[in-house]
Amino acid sequence: MPNTIPPASPTSSTGPLQLSLGPVLFYWTRQRYADFYREAADWPVEIITLGETVCSRRRDMKLDDWLGIGRELTQAGKQVVLASQTLIESEADLRDLRKLCDNGDFIVEANDQSALQRLSSAGLPFIAGAALNLYNPATLGVMARAGMKRWQAPVEMSQQDLAKLIHDCHQAGIPHPCEVFAYGHLPLAWSSRCFTARRHQTPKDRCKFVCQKYPEGLVLRSQESRDVFTLNGIQTLSSACQDLRHELTVMVDMGVSVARLSPRAEGMAEVVKAFDQARHGRLPTPDPLTLVDAEICDGYWYGRPGMDNTRTMTG
């Protein structure tokens, strides 16, 4: 389903698209994190983002643990980013955020205004996360002057709108790299309520960490028994996984620099391999519609409802 998109700016990057591994959105055990990143050190991704972005009650991993993993990944040749929490709810959250921003080793992905304020006031560079909702060149100009080095497109932004935004940014002298969420359950919303705890009829402050029972989230179905959302503590994600493998060449032409892959508990090595092959023009024929045991979607990319899968709709 092609769209008419503006050409990439002459100053935009035409080099190979980089792959990034986003932060783990689900609550895993300490051993599972360690095993996952030990494997990821050998995967063909250039950037790995670490940290807890969803819930401060997930305390298995401390900042020092993330820093230790980050140093090991750096030695393996990866660019490491530390991600901030998306919803800050308490003074304790703010204390942890200050420590994260002042870590002294790695650039931070700012996912809310608290992180943005802390980093910009300290004169520290940062990555602008998708949850900051950056939709126009004026806002991106403000972010660039504050210290932004790369920005993530909102997950619901269409290919056509993003192409125009990147083009307009270059015209305005804002050539900062853009990152697109290319694979995984789409982060849609955050709430002060914990939906997973509520499902277990447990108060949020006495949740007993029930979300750790669901390493890929808890599926929420409609009355028609259709999978609609994935519940992940206070976060709501799409039920289907966005899969933009077949759009990587288009992204490069648009001026996108980085494609983000959101970690899954199972099958992630296969996902990374498929995207690495796709960015080098090696898509299998016939190509399987799914990489792992999950429905896929790409609706937002084409300006349609996010849960749509245009590949099955068009043939």
Side-chain angles (χ1 to χ4, degrees):
M1 187 176 297
N3 283 322
T4 302
I5 60 175
S9 165
T11 59
S12 65
S13 170
T14 57
L17 186 75
Q18 290 189 311
L19 296 180
S20 75
L21 198 61
V24 174
L25 300 179
F26 306 106
Y27 189 23
W28 294 353
T29 64
R30 184 186 182 90
Q31 187 60 51
R32 192 164 205 158
Y33 288 120
D35 293 343
F36 179 81
Y37 287 112
R38 190 176 300 112
E39 292 183 24
D42 296 324
W43 293 346
V45 295
E46 287 74 35
I47 303 166
I48 297 183
T49 302
L50 305 172
E52 175 56 53
T53 64
V54 177
C55 180
S56 61
R57 289 182 59 79
R58 299 175 176 180
R59 302 191 183 101
D60 281 25
M61 297 289 287
K62 308 295 186 184
L63 177 58
D64 286 344
D65 298 318
W66 292 122
L67 292 174
I69 291 175
R71 294 184 189 110
E72 292 175 2
L73 291 171
T74 299
Q75 291 177 357
K78 309 301 183 185
Q79 302 173 39
V80 174
V81 178
L82 292 181
S84 76
Q85 195 174 312
T86 304
L87 184 61
I88 301 295
E89 299 185 82
S90 67
E91 182 57 38
D93 290 351
L94 282 173
R95 287 195 299 269
D96 290 341
L97 175 64
R98 295 183 193 111
K99 292 177 183 177
L100 179 78
C101 292
D102 300 340
N103 75 88
D105 287 330
F106 304 112
I107 193 169
V108 171
E109 175 182 297
N111 285 310
D112 88 319
Q113 294 297 321
S114 302
L116 183 61
Q117 172 64 27
R118 179 71 178 183
L119 293 161
S120 60
S121 62
L124 295 171
F126 61 89
I127 310 299
L132 293 181
N133 295 323
L134 306 176
Y135 291 100
N136 58 70
T139 304
L140 284 161
V142 172
M143 295 293 103
R145 291 189 292 274
M148 179 187 74
K149 299 304 178 186
R150 184 169 72 247
W151 60 282
Q152 294 166 25
V155 297
E156 74 277 11
M157 183 172 281
S158 71
Q159 166 197 339
Q160 190 167 15
D161 290 343
L162 179 58
K164 184 178 186 304
L165 177 55
I166 293 173
H167 180 267
D168 291 348
C169 283
H170 283 282
Q171 293 295 103
I174 312 168
H176 293 65
C178 172
E179 183 172 357
V180 168
F181 191 103
Y183 184 85
H185 296 283
L186 290 160
L188 301 174
W190 293 260
S191 171
S192 59
R193 291 184 176 183
C194 177
F195 300 111
T196 309
R198 187 171 183 176
R199 167 67 176 78
H200 285 262
Q201 300 181 344
T202 304
K204 178 182 176 183
D205 58 355
R206 297 193 298 277
C207 66
K208 300 179 182 178
F209 310 108
V210 291
C211 56
Q212 203 167 55
K213 297 180 179 180
Y214 307 100
E216 290 194 346
L218 178 63
V219 175
L220 178 67
R221 295 183 173 89
S222 68
Q223 291 183 338
E224 294 76 27
S225 298
R226 180 180 181 182
D227 294 353
V228 181
F229 299 116
T230 298
L231 300 182
N232 176 37
I234 68 169
Q235 183 185 54
T236 301
L237 307 121
S238 63
S239 172
C241 283
Q242 173 149 283
D243 183 355
L244 300 181
R245 259 177 302 165
H246 299 79
E247 299 299 315
L248 298 188
T249 301
V250 174
M251 289 183 193
V252 172
D253 291 342
M254 290 166 53
V256 172
S257 299
V258 182
R260 169 169 290 203
L261 314 179
S262 188
R264 295 175 56 91
E266 303 293 341
M268 200 62 202
E270 179 185 358
V271 171
V272 172
K273 179 181 178 181
F275 271 82
D276 183 49
Q277 292 175 336
R279 66 170 165 172
H280 291 102
R282 300 194 301 271
L283 284 166
T285 304
D287 188 22
L289 287 179
T290 58
L291 292 170
V292 293
D293 185 18
E295 295 295 322
I296 62 173
C297 64
D298 58 10
Y300 281 143
W301 184 250
Y302 294 108
R304 299 180 58 87
M307 65 175 61
D308 283 358
N309 180 355
T310 60
R311 292 188 65 211
T312 58
M313 293 170 63
T314 57

